[in-house]
Amino acid sequence: QVQLVESGGGLVQAGGSLRLSCAASGITFSLYNIAWYLQAPGKQRELVAVITSGSSTNYSDSVKGRFTISRDNAKDTVYLQMNILKPEDTAVYYCNARHAVLSGTHNYWGQGTQVTVSS
C-alpha cells in the first residue's frame, strides 16, 4: 500500500519559517518525481515546487528564492523548507509522487498539512 505522509505544518507569523516533510512508503522512492502543491480555500490546487528523480528542481514564481525543495532517498522523504513566509502562503500543502512507466503513470497524493501564516 502506497502512503505519502506530510508533516510539519502549523501556525507561524509572517517572516517566519517552516519545514514540511513528506515521508513515502510502498514505492521505489528514488524513481519518483516529488512535488509540493498548495490549495487555498476556494481555489484550485497549484504547483509550488518539484524535485525530479535526478534531483533537478523547479519552483513557482511566487515561492522562488524563499522555498527550497530537497530529497533524502535513504529516508524516502522530501522536504520543503519555507522561509520568509507570507500570509498568502496560507493553504493546505500536499505532497505528490509521480512516475511514468510504459503502461501509464503512477500518481499518488498525501492527505495534506495545513500551513497558516498570520500577519
Side-chain angles (χ1 to χ4, degrees):
Q1 182 182 359
V2 178
Q3 279 194 311
L4 299 177
V5 180
E6 299 101 332
S7 61
L11 173 64
V12 64
Q13 287 189 332
S17 299
L18 284 174
R19 189 175 82 153
L20 305 184
S21 299
C22 171
S25 60
I27 60 173
T28 306
F29 182 77
S30 60
L31 297 179
Y32 280 71
N33 297 337
I34 309 294
W36 286 97
Y37 287 75
L38 66 81
Q39 188 165 22
K43 296 188 177 181
Q44 289 190 335
R45 198 169 293 189
E46 60 184 74
L47 180 66
V48 175
V50 60
I51 185 164
T52 69
S53 57
S55 294
S56 296
T57 59
N58 204 2
Y59 300 90
S60 68
D61 287 342
S62 62
V63 307
K64 203 170 292 184
R66 299 189 298 123
F67 291 10
T68 303
I69 190 170
S70 61
R71 66 190 298 159
D72 184 341
N73 288 343
K75 296 182 178 179
D76 291 353
T77 301
V78 165
Y79 304 98
L80 185 68
Q81 178 66 45
M82 306 188 295
N83 298 327
I84 319 175
L85 282 160
K86 304 176 181 180
E88 52 264 42
D89 296 322
T90 295
V92 177
Y93 284 70
Y94 295 92
C95 179
N96 170 261
R98 183 171 298 189
H99 174 49
V101 296
L102 287 176
S103 58
T105 299
H106 298 166
N107 190 40
Y108 305 104
W109 290 92
Q111 82 289 347
T113 185
Q114 176 71 46
V115 171
T116 303
V117 184
S118 63
S119 56

